[in-house]
Amino acid sequence: MQRLWGRKISDLAFGEFIQILEWVAKKKHKQVVFIDQWYPSTKTCSHCGHIRKKIDLSVRLWRCPECQLVHGREDNAACNIQAVADLFVVDSQ
Ligand SMILES: [Zn+2]
């Protein structure tokens, strides 16, 4: 587990973790972006934007009924979260 200021991340309260994350981001001229906790990152096809009504936790791979692309659950969610975050990141250059 990665250590942060001599403490494990898992030992921090979530609010404390966010404070440290924002402090480090500011120091490194980075931006922390928060997205809606209910954003359907897992159920949305990162290729065409189709949103499935439901996806069980046991489903690790799924095929989009619209574009037929096969998605890994976590990789697809990560792509969707990155796409949402990219909308809010201010280009500092
Ligand atoms: Zn699709």
Side-chain angles (χ1 to χ4, degrees):
M1 178 62 69
Q2 189 172 2
R3 290 187 172 266
L4 200 60
W5 291 348
R7 298 161 66 189
K8 286 189 218 172
I9 290 174
S10 60
D11 289 343
L12 301 174
F14 189 68
E16 204 175 3
F17 170 72
I18 296 298
Q19 282 182 330
I20 294 170
L21 181 65
E22 289 176 326
W23 181 85
V24 171
K26 186 176 179 181
K27 186 176 171 186
K28 295 186 178 219
H29 306 287
K30 302 291 182 184
Q31 193 173 359
V32 177
V33 176
F34 296 92
I35 68 169
D36 184 347
Q37 66 176 329
W38 303 114
Y39 173 71
S41 60
T42 303
K43 299 188 290 186
T44 303
C45 172
S46 59
H47 182 70
C48 73
H50 176 77
I51 301 174
R52 290 181 56 154
K53 287 185 178 164
K54 185 176 181 185
I55 185 167
D56 288 335
L57 257 178
S58 62
V59 176
R60 309 314 298 171
L61 289 174
W62 59 277
R63 180 181 301 275
C64 175
E66 290 294 316
C67 69
Q68 304 300 315
L69 202 66
V70 176
H71 296 289
R73 181 188 187 94
E74 308 305 334
D75 291 341
N76 181 60
C79 288
N80 286 326
I81 291 168
Q82 179 69 58
V84 171
D86 287 346
L87 296 174
F88 294 101
V89 171
V90 176
D91 191 5
S92 60
Q93 297 175 4

